[in-house]
Amino acid sequence: MKVLVIGQGGREHALVCKLAESKSVSQVFCAPGNAGTKIDATNVDINASDIPRILAFAKEESIRLAVVGPEVPLVAGMADALREAGVAVFGPSKAAAELEGSKSFAKQMMWKANVPTAKSETFSNFEAAEGFLEEREEQPLVIKADGLAAGKGVLICDTKQEARDAIQSLMRIKEFGDAGETVIIEEKLIGQEVSILAIVSGDTIIPLETSQDHKAAYDGDLGPNTGGMGAYSPAPLVTEELMDEIIEKILVPMVNVMKTEERPFNGVLYAGLMITNQGPKVLEFNVRFGDPEAQPVLMRLKTDLAQLLLAAAEERLDSIESLEWDERPAICVVMASEGYPGDYEKGKVIRGLNEAAKLEDTKVFHAGTTIRDDEIVTDGGRVLGVTAIGDTIGQAKLKAYQAVKCIRWDGAWCRKDISDKAR
């Protein structure tokens, strides 16, 4: 069968590589793709949010399975349009994707489902938000843009003044555009974060192996939030007993409440959790594979991904046998452009990719790259996801950073402590 992956980041490159391994897949297309997907698949020069052109291409090429990678086209209704055209789609409907498209909607669903999460208030009026802050005692708070902000619309505030500045930035300065017209002000949860991704179709929920993302820009979890500076899988913090609790108290209730609300979920349900002293609490829900979590998680997956996602798309996920995994841990280190998550320049020539590719048990997934004059150059803030697998977390980390040392461009940087929390 022919498969179309929609998107152009590191997550999409990881999906392309794993789907291409399937014996049932004759060709993988990626729209629009990047310099890495051009090597491992066939790039199609169509924007990931261009629904009419994606539909036309899917019909022209008789695409059997479409996998929508990013949140923006999902929230815009890409999956609905493809399904109506008769294409099997892995990805939620526009109605279900609102779980990620609106943090206030997600909070409403969590309250209805009695899912543990931080106490919060939602505001669409700047003066009302400011007044709420003035009435609060001095305490750490988290201010979130309600809409999509590329994973960066979450501001952690340790003081009341920082919280004032945050709502000013989101609601008045419009740092993230319309995403900040409504904000959520919530208590800051204390603990360690984990990412739980599950394949969902109908009443069937198949959790993937656990992972932990590193959102903050700099070592020691310092600096502004990013789209993710690295991840590792599995997360030892999540024991078998804790995973059972997460399934029972978070995943099952959310899938049920979405069905009750006539927004049945089909795709990846991603729960970003904080493991607190009171147990797991939801920070946010996403409706697609995490980036960079997808890279180490999919690197460990032995089950045929194409058959798994096709079964979910065709609502026969209950026929899939238990997933097979490589027991070895994997680590992804994101290499970023100078200035990210703020302003950065594009077009820097990347050297050393061939050298890194020769290293055993290592794969360099492209995120923000393109080809210019036969050279691979930077084309985004998060440029590469250097991923390695090893017998231990320490060994996987060593391999990943050995590959990082091979690669260079003007202004390249990365965190040096990815996976250290696992020890």
Side-chain angles (χ1 to χ4, degrees), residues 1 33 42 61 115 120 141 208 212 223 225 232 242 274 283 303 322 351 370 377 415:
M1 64 178 171
T42 303
E61 286 292 339
V115 164
S120 69
L141 294 169
L208 302 181
Q212 187 176 69
N225 262 11
Y232 64 93
L242 182 55
M274 184 72 80
L283 295 169
T303 296
S322 296
R351 309 286 185 200
T370 190
V377 301
R415 279 183 60 159

Side-chain angles (χ1 to χ4, degrees), residues 152-168:
K152 294 180 283 187
V154 176
L155 305 173
I156 297 166
C157 308
D158 291 322
T159 67
K160 195 178 281 192
Q161 186 56 51
E162 287 179 3
R164 287 192 202 97
D165 293 343
I167 61 166
Q168 178 86 16

Side-chain angles (χ1 to χ4, degrees), residues 111-123:
W111 293 329
K112 283 190 176 184
N114 201 25
V115 164
T117 186
K119 295 174 185 173
S120 69
E121 296 287 343
T122 300
F123 299 93

